[in-house]
Amino acid sequence: MSSRSPDEFRLGVRPYDQGFRGGDEPEDPHELLHRARRLTAEGHPGAGGAWERAATALRRAGGALTPGDHADALDATALDCRGAALPAAGPLFFRAADLHEQAGQRGKALVSRARALVAGPGPGGGPGPGATACARLAELRERATALHAVGQADTAETATVRLLHASARADLLDTAPDPMAEAAAVREELDRLLAFAAPHREDPAVLGVLADTRAVLGRITAPDDPAAALSQLRASIDDHRAGGRPWPATEQQLLLSALLRTTGAFEEAAALLRAALAPEVPGPPLRAGDRARLCLALARTVAGAGERWPTTGGPEVADEEIPLLAESVHHSDGPSDDVRVGALARLRLGVAYAERGRCREASTLLERALAGFSEEGDTAARVRARAWLADCALRLGESGRASREYALAAVEALSWDDRRHGAALSHRTADALGAAGAPEKAARAYERAADLWRAAGDHAAAARSLRARSRQVRIAWGDVAAEVVLAEAAREAARGRRGSAGSRAAHDRPVGAAVPVEHARPTPVAGETRRPAHEVHSGDGTVDACDGAPTDVAAHAETESGIESGIEAGIEAGAGTEVGLGLGSEEDSMTDSEADSEADSGVDQGSGVGGPWPGLRELPEPFGPWGRYQVNVYGEVGGTGQRAATAAGTRVQGCE
């Protein structure tokens, strides 16, 4: 009997991991079968490959797998499905459950069905179970408890079903009406599970469930009690090792190292990750996907330590980040085919190159990262990649390309609740247009940025954009028109000073509050034809930021889209607190004479042409945790970064 029947394995992937083949591999089919059963009982990551080889040898000898063995093979295969193969897991688990039922293994059948629900697509096609699947898991948990009471499901099987239900609840915490109360309820459920399984910890299978239970408990405890979470995660790793499992506990290691970073223990976090990447005790090799994530997390740890203690590491520590990110890129492109990890590693590597002035290499990496982020659908990741790509282009003298990338980044950033990122990127678009020798288009882009800053209640930043606009107006339409804009900038600066000296009411304006009409759309200056930009064409996402000429009103109406549409939306909403976007949002105290001097220089003080724009670091974190109890790709818990609007289903899961 072939282990790959047409109905089960026509999935376009290689679900079996061939990387765990031992050097003393037997040749006899029955020895291979015995070895596959043993590895399955141990929960070994090489069980899937062992079943594949056993089934192939049996078929060649004229034998066949029994329904029970076939079910175990499918379970092991499904557990191997990661990266591009992940969609195959659910159907394999469901087929395994049917075969377990045929073999009279009712406890195993419930485990397979529960795993199928967890592996299936969630709401909107994203990963993880939704509320309906969670309710079905609750039914399976009750059935497992009933079977255990009559001896038809063992402790490990029952505990596994209970753990899968609790994990599904943990994934949905941030969608609950009261997340903190729900988290307390899930912790109680996990505590009961520990009490149920602990008396049977001499069984390695039960000990494995205990380790995974403590990992989930540590994950959902981390936002509320980091010290208790550290204790749970350390106990999880200890239980994993005590169960005679020399293979890596990657999820627990990532969670623990991330929590150590948040508590400032960078050295301990780095030591943990280095030990995971190069263990002292030989064992099964790391999966490519796990190695990619560990390298990515270690690079983040090294970078964080360098930022915390910049004088202690020296260039050797700083440069450690680059080879780690390169290794993460290499392994994420292999059999794991993890688009998210690969794109994120390329983004960070591109940023590291850009910060060191290697803009050509950085641009190549950032372009590939952007393609990966487009596939993943994360807005924050795309905005950051485009902004760094534009910054590199500007420093390479490719101003036209820089303006296009900044413009596209600004359009996407305007979909976020905090419009100041869109305003800052619009200002950067204008900087690039000015450097490209397009003063009319630069003047309009600066005006759009000023509109957005006004909508956000930041009159000081609006004044800066208007002063930059005056320089472009001077080039395009002359001194008289520029003086009109400078006068408007002075009025904006005065509004900013009044707001700062008063009650800061402008910064406390609730999101969605209307902006006064007289502040929303300034009167066109003499000699200027007001029209929307032709930089962004929303139909196909293309940008042409450096050509075109003033058009009539009919053309104006036909081409209104892209950034201009975003501006109109931005006028309808304001934002509150200050953010370091590299353009400054403190009280503007520049005098008119200083503004004139700056204008005469023809150089925007915030342009950042000679080095990276400081606002790049303030952009929202790609794939950041979207809620208090969610986990990102680094293993970090708890919505630490700026939340951005992302496509449905882009949630990042934690323990798997």
Side-chain angles (χ1 to χ4, degrees), residues 216-594:
V216 178
L217 190 55
R219 166 193 159 185
I220 65 173
T221 303
D224 305 311
D225 190 348
L230 282 172
S231 177
Q232 290 290 353
L233 290 170
R234 287 191 171 108
S236 172
I237 293 176
D238 289 343
D239 283 347
H240 179 85
R241 292 169 180 164
R245 299 182 173 195
W247 46 92
T250 302
E251 295 297 332
Q252 291 94 322
Q253 290 162 338
L254 286 169
L255 285 166
L256 179 55
S257 65
L259 191 54
L260 289 169
R261 281 197 302 274
T262 62
T263 59
F266 285 92
E267 291 185 4
E268 186 178 352
L272 173 67
L273 293 169
R274 288 190 178 101
L277 287 165
E280 295 180 1
V281 179
L286 274 171
R287 299 174 188 269
D290 290 343
R291 182 171 290 278
R293 291 183 65 194
L294 289 167
C295 287
L296 189 62
L298 181 54
R300 189 174 182 85
T301 304
V302 169
E307 292 171 2
R308 190 178 179 90
W309 299 290
T311 62
T312 60
E316 295 81 6
V317 173
D319 290 340
E320 185 182 1
E321 183 183 11
I322 288 180
L324 285 168
L325 292 171
E327 186 175 357
S328 181
V329 168
H330 170 72
H331 289 291
S332 63
D333 286 346
S336 64
D337 193 21
D338 194 323
V339 175
R340 182 178 66 241
V341 173
L344 192 53
R346 282 191 174 87
L347 172 60
R348 289 187 62 95
L349 185 56
V351 169
Y353 281 156
E355 289 178 332
R356 290 159 176 79
R358 299 164 63 176
C359 292
R360 291 288 180 196
E361 296 166 277
S363 295
T364 301
L365 286 162
L366 292 167
E367 286 171 351
R368 289 198 61 188
L370 187 56
F373 291 141
S374 297
E375 183 176 337
E376 278 290 311
D378 187 85
T379 307
R382 287 197 301 272
V383 168
R384 183 171 285 226
R386 287 195 187 281
W388 275 101
L389 192 58
D391 194 84
C392 288
L394 198 59
R395 286 191 278 158
L396 289 168
E398 301 171 0
S399 304
R401 181 187 182 193
S403 67
R404 290 190 289 272
E405 295 297 344
Y406 276 134
L408 286 170
V411 170
E412 294 214 65
L414 288 173
S415 68
W416 300 341
D417 293 338
D418 188 344
R419 301 297 179 101
R420 290 166 297 175
H421 295 289
L425 289 164
S426 294
H427 187 110
R428 294 294 292 169
T429 304
D431 288 343
L433 287 167
E440 295 182 12
K441 303 187 90 173
R444 287 190 294 274
Y446 281 127
E447 183 186 8
R448 288 193 295 272
D451 287 346
L452 286 171
W453 286 123
R454 286 192 191 95
D458 194 335
H459 295 284
R464 290 183 177 88
S465 292
L466 288 170
R467 282 199 302 273
R469 168 175 161 76
S470 73
R471 296 194 293 276
Q472 301 300 322
V473 169
R474 188 183 304 276
I475 297 170
W477 295 289
D479 292 343
V480 174
E483 291 301 323
V484 174
V485 180
L486 279 174
E488 184 183 355
R491 290 192 295 271
E492 284 296 330
R495 292 187 188 104
R497 287 193 291 273
R498 285 197 300 270
S500 177
S503 63
R504 305 189 64 84
H507 292 282
D508 294 333
R509 184 186 298 118
V511 172
V515 178
V517 173
E518 64 270 19
H519 296 168
R521 302 294 291 180
T523 303
V525 299
E528 179 187 1
T529 302
R530 282 290 302 276
R531 62 180 174 84
H534 298 279
E535 287 86 359
V536 179
H537 305 278
S538 59
D540 60 2
T542 61
V543 176
D544 185 5
C546 295
D547 59 8
T551 56
D552 58 20
V553 176
H556 175 132
E558 291 174 0
T559 59
E560 184 169 346
S561 61
I563 292 179
E564 190 75 13
S565 300
I567 302 303
E568 299 298 339
I571 295 301
E572 300 298 326
T577 57
E578 297 174 357
V579 65
L581 295 172
L583 297 173
S585 37
E586 299 295 330
E587 181 181 347
D588 192 315
S589 59
M590 183 179 288
T591 65
D592 290 343
S593 61
E594 290 171 327

Side-chain angles (χ1 to χ4, degrees), residues 89-100:
L92 291 174
F93 279 130
F94 276 125
R95 175 61 177 148
D98 292 339
L99 289 169
H100 281 308

